[in-house]
Amino acid sequence: MKIISSIAELRDHLRGQLRTAFVPTMGNLHEGHLSLMRLARKHGDPVVASIFVNRMQFGPNEDFDKYPRTFAADIEKLEKEGVYVLFAPTEKDIYPEPQEFRIQPPNDLGNTLEGEFRPGFFTGVTTIVMKLFSCVQPRVAVFGKKDYQQLMIVRNMARQFALPTEIIAAETWRADDGLALSSRNGYLSVAERAEAPALYRELNLVADAMRAGHLDVSLLEKHAVQRLAERGWKPDYVAIRKRIDLQPPTAGDLATREPLVVLAAAKLGTTRLIDNLEI
């Protein structure tokens, strides 16, 4: 595996590759990330991964400085997966000058759910993804469903800008107890880690209730938030939305069985966890 930090060197190394499959990451790789690499290989060759902790998508009071960085261990894992190139730029490589041009997602998608609680987050995400796509020029790129809203925003961006990159969705990788794998899970104490699967169980309760015909969306959301709060969580939201655009379902949508997804974000101690489940 070749490790490259320079954009010019990356482009030179990948010149002539027409089926590149790309997996962008922020490092601290776990089995969920590695499953993305394996899925990428099914859709293209060679596989290129990136590691870049993007300051632009962190808010002023978020965890940019303490975000786990495990570069040596990440390299070993990627080598075992047969990744062809690891693009590991520095901030100076990616932002040699202030990034004054930025991608702004539409308000109805970018300012709801995660966008409401993390202002500017999706502007940072879409800007870096667009820049990475420009550097790698992949035919396909793989994103996990755990970051459901991010996946949808990136997919819509690629379509509206007519990018020559197909966005592939990967299923969420979970621990045996149901907790979605995340780099931030490492922040959890032993007791918090034991409690953390309750978030996924709550999503299943909501989904099961809807499948059983309980269609009072606001009541289901309210009760889920209450149950989490009673367990000591600090919920930001539990939201039932349409998969197609992440807008709240209307009565007509519920009557026609519009495909839905229930999404949640909540703090357990000081760690903010997100998850979702398609209904």
Side-chain angles (χ1 to χ4, degrees):
M1 182 178 73
K2 190 168 182 63
I3 302 171
I4 298 174
S5 61
S6 158
I7 294 173
E9 184 183 352
L10 178 74
R11 287 176 172 162
D12 185 61
H13 196 71
L14 295 177
R15 185 170 290 114
Q17 299 285 2
L18 302 178
R19 299 184 62 250
T20 300
F22 178 46
V23 184
T25 83
M26 292 205 301
N28 192 226
L29 304 182
H30 50 65
E31 190 60 31
H33 292 112
L34 302 182
S35 73
L36 304 184
M37 309 297 164
R38 296 170 202 140
L39 182 59
R41 182 169 291 104
K42 293 180 180 179
H43 291 273
D45 180 63
V47 174
V48 176
S50 68
I51 293 177
F52 181 67
V53 183
N54 179 39
R55 186 186 300 269
M56 190 185 296
Q57 69 194 63
F58 287 78
N61 298 314
E62 293 186 339
D63 57 342
F64 175 80
D65 289 326
K66 71 170 186 174
Y67 192 84
R69 292 161 171 86
T70 54
F71 194 62
D74 293 345
I75 289 172
E76 287 187 20
K77 292 174 182 176
L78 294 175
E79 286 178 333
K80 288 179 181 177
E81 293 298 331
V83 169
Y84 178 62
V85 168
L86 169 59
F87 181 43
T90 65
E91 283 194 284
K92 194 168 184 178
D93 289 312
I94 288 290
Y95 302 125
E97 59 184 280
Q99 187 69 35
E100 294 168 339
F101 288 88
R102 303 189 179 197
I103 303 291
Q104 180 66 49
N107 288 338
D108 60 349
L109 187 55
N111 290 344
T112 187
L113 302 171
E114 286 299 282
E116 178 182 348
F117 288 92
R118 301 183 68 187
F121 171 66
F122 286 120
T123 296
V125 168
T126 50
T127 300
I128 189 59
V129 168
M130 181 68 91
K131 198 154 192 175
L132 289 170
F133 282 2
S134 175
C135 296
V136 178
Q137 300 181 22
R139 189 186 71 81
V140 300
V142 180
F143 289 80
K145 282 188 178 181
K146 187 184 82 72
D147 298 291
Y148 203 91
Q149 189 175 6
Q150 172 181 281
L151 166 66
M152 175 165 291
I153 287 174
V154 169
R155 179 173 278 163
N156 288 0
M157 178 185 76
R159 186 185 69 250
Q160 289 196 10
F161 278 105
L163 300 181
T165 301
E166 178 187 359
I167 307 302
I168 305 293
E171 295 298 326
T172 300
W173 195 277
R174 299 184 181 279
D176 291 342
D177 58 9
L179 178 64
L181 296 195
S182 168
S183 296
R184 289 186 169 96
N185 290 353
Y187 298 156
L188 297 168
S189 69
V190 173
E192 289 166 349
R193 176 59 186 83
E195 168 63 21
L199 187 63
Y200 184 53
R201 292 198 297 269
E202 201 57 56
L203 295 178
N204 277 279
L205 286 175
V206 172
D208 289 345
M210 293 211 69
R211 294 183 188 116
H214 300 285
L215 301 181
D216 189 332
V217 168
S218 61
L219 190 62
L220 289 173
E221 294 171 343
K222 178 182 176 183
H223 286 171
V225 166
Q226 288 176 342
R227 286 191 296 266
L228 285 170
E230 288 168 0
R231 297 181 68 96
W233 294 69
K234 296 176 182 176
D236 284 342
Y237 60 83
V238 175
I240 299 165
R241 298 295 174 94
K242 294 186 289 183
R243 292 187 209 173
I244 191 170
D245 58 9
L246 293 188
Q247 297 305 300
T250 65
D253 293 326
L254 297 174
T256 58
R257 297 187 178 275
E258 173 76 24
L260 303 174
V261 58
V262 55
L263 310 102
K267 273 189 174 181
L268 185 56
T270 59
T271 305
R272 189 174 183 273
L273 302 178
I274 67 170
D275 204 349
N276 65 82
L277 181 64
E278 293 178 333
I279 303 173

